Amino acid sequence: MRNKLLASTLFLAALSPFTAAMAQTVDPAILTPERVFANPSLAGPVAKSVSLSPDGELVAFLRSREDDVDVQDLWAAPIGAGEPFRLIDARALVPDAGELSEAEKARRERMRISQRGVVEYSWDEQGRYILAPLEGDIFLASRDGGAVRRLTETEADEIDAKVSPRGNYVSFVRDQDLVVLDLGSGAETPITDDGEGLITWATAEFIAQEEMDRDTGYWWSPDERYIALQRTDESTVDIVPRLDITGGGAAVVEQRYPRSGRPNAVVELYVRDIVGGGRVKVDLGENTDIYLARVNWSADGRTLYVQRESRDQKRLDLLSVDPATGASRVISTQRSDAWVSLNNDFKALDDGNFIWSSEETGWRHLYLHNREGRRLRAITRGAYPVKSLNGVNQATGEVFFTASMRDGRELPIEQQMFRASLRRPVDPVAVTPAGGWWGVSVNKTGTAFVGNYTDLDTPMQSGLYRADGTFVRWIEENRLDADHPMYPFLSRRGDVTFGTLESHGETLVWQMTTPPGFDPSKTYPVVMQVYGGPSGGGVKRGWQSANNQLLTEAGYIVFRLDNRGEGDRSTAFKQALYLKMGQPEIEDQVLAANYLRSLSYVDDSRIAMMGWSYGGFMSLMALTEPDMGLTSAIAGAPPTEWSLYDTHYTERFMSTPQANAEGYAASDAIPRLPNLTGRLLLMHGMADDNVILENSTRVIDALQASSTPFELMLYPGQRHGVRGNERQLQQWRTYLDFLDRTIGSRAPAARD
């Protein structure tokens, strides 16, 4: 029997408020759940949704309140001298936030917005105004003088509000119809008037919001002449009754949920002439079973560009549309034997050309096209993927993009911004330094950018930079000094190391965090954190969350591997899971578990896994995989049978249940449950409208029918995530309690 790590003191400090307070008296450097889920946030003053005014003279951003991390205000800072100032105080304007409408709740869930107060905002293209929806109404902040004007005060929610490009109008969706408000006169003009029941105007449908990264359903032309807007008819979509269970009771919601292999909503596109008043229907083709993927305007407003995706997602057409007539023609097409990935890289240029990305070489790269869709040349090339097109300086021809690479080769754990050229082939030049993770927002002219930077020793910082990378000023320095809320706990942060494993010709990246006082001559239990599904990946050289430190404080090594299918990597890497989700990903996690067991300081009898959503699916699959040999697993909100999940996501990777019955059967968790290798903790929100609760109840039913013990934690009123400090504190107390009893100090083997 190997030596066991005894961490009961640390765990008890994490378990209850009383013992946590005692532990803080003895050693205030020990981080507890009670402190993690309290105000102010341990992340420090992090600026969110940072953007430059169109002229690059002012920076706007969202900041959580110190007295309530779940409420955000809108702040601004001049690019020159002067301190940041609060532009919109959410509580001052709306002291008593009411209940949001069901439509707005669902929209925020799709956008993964959990805060209240100011949760989004937008500039007009002149930079004169900032528009901010606030608790269902709309407020307009003037850049000159900072005056805030309330535009609406109605019982209905005004959602997806925008300032028109020239700043003459504000538009929004109210009661399923689009409304335009004239800022000069204050008059409202309904653009549509028949939105009700199953007909909705100007709002992205469920699939677009949840799976296609498209949160809006209408688009202004640059000259304010036209608005392109979608019409959605959900009458074709199946009703999936679900219980919306809260602490005060339950209601049956007849949710229109398009399950894999079943009908989608019918989406049409129209163009409204704001000047002439007419409306024309855009010709999207005879086949209505398609996806409206993206909509963009040319710089002069004379052409509407529409990306139309086939139902099987193997073809993406770019349509050129005449906004006056709705007539369209295909000017470019991308194809794939698996799926064509959607992105936001389309950029219309002033000279009529446009930039668009493609993965046809096996890597996502940027290309320049003329107005007719003919490709002129590649802007980027090499054995790395472009993560996103961030901006263009059309005067100098500079193109700015983010990528995870160094010296022209892929480096998944870091991210930088680079500069290429519209005019000639050049090797990309790094604008931001290497060594960490950069996120950027470039201004409209491509002369400046906001850089958000983090590394292992630096919490997220936001600064203003010139286009050549020269630092101008801090927006939120978030300095890690004695005043930082995380400072008292820094001495007990675990060491983070990175490494790679080889699987089927692909290089997998991993990271490991060890507990404080780590001694390689001892043995430690391991918690494998996992997502595993198609995503941006979780292994990165960035500031580690306080949640991870809760695990290391309890004596666990924390390990994460980005398996095949996960991360913005090559096409081959991403498509390894095509038609067989839950197979190559588990193969790679088995490889990781075997690697961990090869380490002398890992207790090979005490390895657990935890994950949420796709990570919950992975935890279930891993706990029922004998080669993993897990002692326990936590599965949060897991999809357990992919025919229960939605069309666009599931069919992209798995085709339909009718066409890929074998793949769907192999990824069903229920037949695998007799192979459980350890203890299961199953968790789910009881109002989840994304991965509906049926995914977990079928596991509950099967385990009870087989008399198999397991643990269950359900969250009344919670959707696909657990929100709020109080509930998240309970969630993490539950995590730590379960892990301690299965692989920690109170596990049965520890008493041998």
Side-chain angles (χ1 to χ4, degrees):
M1 179 65 67
R2 293 186 176 182
N3 293 329
K4 307 298 180 182
L5 173 71
L6 300 180
S8 58
T9 301
L10 294 181
F11 176 76
L12 289 172
L15 183 61
S16 71
F18 176 72
T19 53
M22 291 178 61
Q24 288 290 315
T25 301
V26 175
D27 187 352
I30 294 177
L31 185 63
T32 68
E34 288 73 27
R35 178 58 194 92
V36 171
F37 300 104
N39 300 314
S41 170
L42 290 175
V46 175
K48 305 173 186 176
S49 302
V50 186
S51 68
L52 277 163
S53 61
D55 61 6
E57 295 296 322
L58 193 70
V59 180
F61 58 96
L62 301 178
R63 177 193 282 177
S64 293
R65 300 177 67 94
E66 289 192 3
D67 60 349
D68 190 343
V69 70
D70 291 327
V71 177
Q72 297 179 150
D73 296 327
L74 178 64
W75 286 69
I79 65 165
E83 293 299 313
F85 57 93
R86 184 156 43 194
L87 196 58
I88 292 182
D89 184 328
R91 283 188 171 163
L93 291 177
V94 185
D96 301 312
E99 188 76 8
L100 295 171
S101 69
E102 183 61 28
E104 180 63 359
K105 287 180 183 178
R107 180 173 176 269
R108 292 190 182 193
E109 181 70 20
R110 303 285 79 78
M111 297 173 70
R112 303 299 186 260
I113 295 174
S114 59
Q115 291 84 9
R116 295 295 295 262
V118 184
V119 298
E120 56 183 327
Y121 68 93
S122 59
W123 292 94
D124 72 305
E125 291 192 7
Q126 310 304 308
R128 293 183 295 170
Y129 304 112
I130 302 178
L131 186 72
L134 177 57
E135 307 299 355
D137 286 314
I138 303 171
F139 295 82
L140 189 72
S142 174
R143 176 173 166 180
D144 293 334
V148 179
R149 172 183 169 191
R150 185 170 193 151
L151 299 181
T152 64
E153 191 169 6
T154 63
E155 292 186 6
D157 283 346
E158 284 81 27
I159 66 174
D160 197 12
K162 303 175 186 178
V163 187
S164 62
R166 295 184 176 179
N168 293 312
Y169 306 97
V170 164
S171 51
F172 50 84
V173 178
R174 178 196 289 152
D175 292 331
Q176 300 177 217
D177 281 307
L178 182 64
V179 178
V180 169
L181 183 151
D182 188 309
L183 286 176
S185 66
E188 291 186 1
T189 301
I191 301 301
T192 63
D193 59 9
D194 60 338
E196 61 178 347
L198 299 176
I199 304 299
T200 302
W201 283 97
T203 302
E205 74 277 23
F206 171 90
I207 284 295
Q209 293 180 32
E210 181 62 41
E211 310 298 0
M212 296 167 61
D213 193 26
R214 179 168 67 78
D215 299 320
T216 189
Y218 72 98
W219 303 264
W220 281 93
S221 65
D223 58 3
E224 298 185 346
R225 169 75 184 269
Y226 300 108
I227 298 179
L229 68 162
Q230 78 173 73
R231 178 184 186 271
T232 305
D233 181 354
E234 289 191 294
S235 62
T236 54
V237 181
D238 293 338
I239 296 174
V240 177
R242 64 173 176 85
L243 277 175
D244 195 332
I245 303 172
T246 69
V252 177
V253 177
E254 294 191 341
Q255 182 175 347
R256 296 279 173 169
Y257 190 97
R259 284 178 168 169
S260 178
R262 299 294 299 157
N264 276 320
V266 175
V267 175
E268 299 172 330
L269 186 65
Y270 292 80
V271 177
R272 168 66 182 263
D273 188 333
I274 298 299
V275 177
R279 186 173 76 199
V280 298
K281 183 179 180 181
V282 173
D283 181 8
L284 296 179
E286 295 182 2
N287 182 9
T288 60
D289 194 14
I290 52 92
Y291 294 106
L292 179 65
R294 298 287 185 270
V295 177
N296 299 92
W297 286 94
S298 63
D300 60 10
R302 297 179 181 178
T303 303
L304 183 68
Y305 293 107
V306 177
Q307 295 180 42
R308 178 186 66 192
E309 187 179 39
S310 61
R311 172 69 184 258
D312 64 9
Q313 300 180 58
K314 295 183 179 182
R315 176 179 177 132
L316 182 65
D317 293 321
L318 179 64
L319 309 181
S320 175
V321 178
D322 181 349
T325 66
S328 69
R329 55 193 176 91
V330 177
I331 61 172
S332 185
T333 297
Q334 297 183 19
R335 295 181 175 87
S336 170
D337 292 335
W339 71 84
V340 179
S341 297
L342 300 180
N343 57 66
N344 294 309
D345 294 338
F346 186 94
K347 171 67 176 177
L349 304 175
D350 292 342
D351 61 5
N353 295 334
F354 61 84
I355 300 171
W356 199 26
S357 65
S358 167
E359 293 185 333
E360 65 182 47
T361 65
W363 302 92
R364 177 177 165 188
H365 281 296
L366 303 173
Y367 299 89
L368 181 66
H369 301 72
N370 68 11
R371 67 175 69 242
E372 299 300 316
R374 182 171 65 86
R375 180 177 295 175
L376 301 178
R377 66 172 189 83
I379 297 172
T380 62
R381 57 172 62 84
Y384 66 90
V386 168
K387 296 289 192 69
S388 63
L389 172 64
N390 300 109
V392 179
N393 185 324
Q394 298 188 60
T396 63
E398 294 170 302
V399 178
F400 300 96
F401 66 94
T402 46
S404 293
M405 64 98 162
R406 192 181 294 179
D407 300 324
R409 303 293 297 181
E410 184 183 35
L411 183 63
I413 65 174
E414 297 182 7
Q415 181 168 290
Q416 295 171 258
M417 186 171 82
F418 296 86
R419 180 177 67 245
S421 175
L422 278 174
R423 298 169 181 169
R424 60 188 183 279
V426 297
D427 292 331
V429 175
V431 177
T432 59
W437 195 271
W438 286 87
V440 300
S441 174
V442 179
N443 70 337
K444 182 180 178 182
T445 57
T447 56
F449 68 93
V450 171
N452 300 307
Y453 176 76
T454 180
D455 59 35
L456 292 175
D457 299 313
T458 309
M460 185 65 72
Q461 297 179 320
S462 298
L464 179 64
Y465 301 81
R466 297 191 183 96
D468 63 2
T470 302
F471 176 78
V472 176
R473 66 159 295 165
W474 289 116
I475 299 167
E476 287 284 15
E477 184 178 5
N478 202 5
R479 181 182 299 177
L480 199 58
D481 57 17
D483 294 326
H484 195 282
M486 191 65 187
Y487 185 82
F489 312 106
L490 293 180
S491 64
R492 296 182 62 82
R493 294 180 70 228
D495 292 329
V496 182
T497 56
F498 296 89
T500 61
L501 297 172
E502 298 298 318
S503 175
H504 298 268
E506 298 287 355
T507 299
L508 315 178
V509 294
W510 58 258
Q511 69 182 52
M512 178 188 295
T513 310
T514 51
F518 174 71
D519 182 349
S521 68
K522 298 180 180 180
T523 57
Y524 297 80
V526 177
V527 176
M528 300 177 68
Q529 293 185 326
V530 67
Y531 181 75
S535 72
V539 177
K540 60 183 63 174
R541 200 183 300 276
W543 184 252
Q544 303 299 297
S545 74
N547 295 0
N548 276 8
Q549 191 161 334
L550 292 178
L551 295 172
T552 56
E553 280 287 13
Y556 306 118
I557 291 174
V558 179
F559 184 89
R560 179 159 191 154
L561 173 92
D562 284 352
N563 50 246
R564 283 173 294 157
E566 184 176 10
D568 292 327
R569 305 279 303 270
S570 70
T571 304
F573 191 95
K574 292 189 294 184
Q575 294 181 355
L577 52 64
Y578 184 56
L579 301 180
K580 50 185 179 182
M581 288 200 300
Q583 298 178 50
E585 309 98 301
I586 293 298
E587 287 180 17
D588 291 348
Q589 295 296 333
V590 169
L591 181 69
N594 289 336
Y595 168 71
L596 288 168
R597 291 189 174 95
S598 73
L599 303 175
S600 62
Y601 50 82
V602 167
D603 185 340
D604 57 13
S605 66
R606 297 186 177 206
I607 300 178
M609 180 175 282
M610 63 186 298
W612 198 271
S613 194
Y614 202 105
F617 164 71
M618 289 288 290
S619 289
L620 265 181
M621 297 294 282
L623 191 62
T624 56
E625 173 52 60
D627 290 342
M628 281 291 298
L630 292 180
T631 305
S632 62
I634 301 170
T640 64
E641 208 283 302
W642 285 106
S643 66
L644 299 178
Y645 201 58
D646 67 51
T647 51
H648 193 272
Y649 184 92
T650 311
E651 293 173 12
R652 183 190 324 157
F653 310 119
M654 291 286 283
S655 186
T656 63
Q658 299 85 352
N660 183 26
E662 182 179 351
Y664 276 78
S667 62
D668 188 345
I670 301 302
R672 299 170 60 96
L673 292 178
N675 299 327
L676 285 170
T677 63
R679 299 285 295 191
L680 170 66
L681 169 59
L682 184 64
M683 310 178 92
H684 215 121
M686 300 183 80
D688 196 331
D689 60 352
N690 179 9
V691 179
I692 60 175
L693 186 58
E694 181 183 348
N695 283 274
S696 283
T697 57
R698 60 196 301 271
V699 174
I700 296 168
D701 179 65
L703 290 175
Q704 291 174 344
S706 64
S707 303
T708 303
F710 68 102
E711 299 184 32
L712 177 67
M713 181 60 65
L714 299 176
Y715 288 92
Q718 299 300 293
R719 301 204 178 204
H720 194 48
V722 177
R723 314 295 189 193
N725 275 340
E726 294 80 5
R727 282 186 173 83
Q728 289 184 76
L729 172 58
Q730 189 278 342
Q731 180 184 27
W732 271 86
R733 284 174 171 169
T734 303
Y735 284 159
L736 291 167
D737 175 66
F738 176 78
L739 290 171
D740 191 55
R741 288 185 288 103
T742 57
I743 65 169
S745 65
R746 292 187 292 155
R751 293 193 289 267
D752 291 347

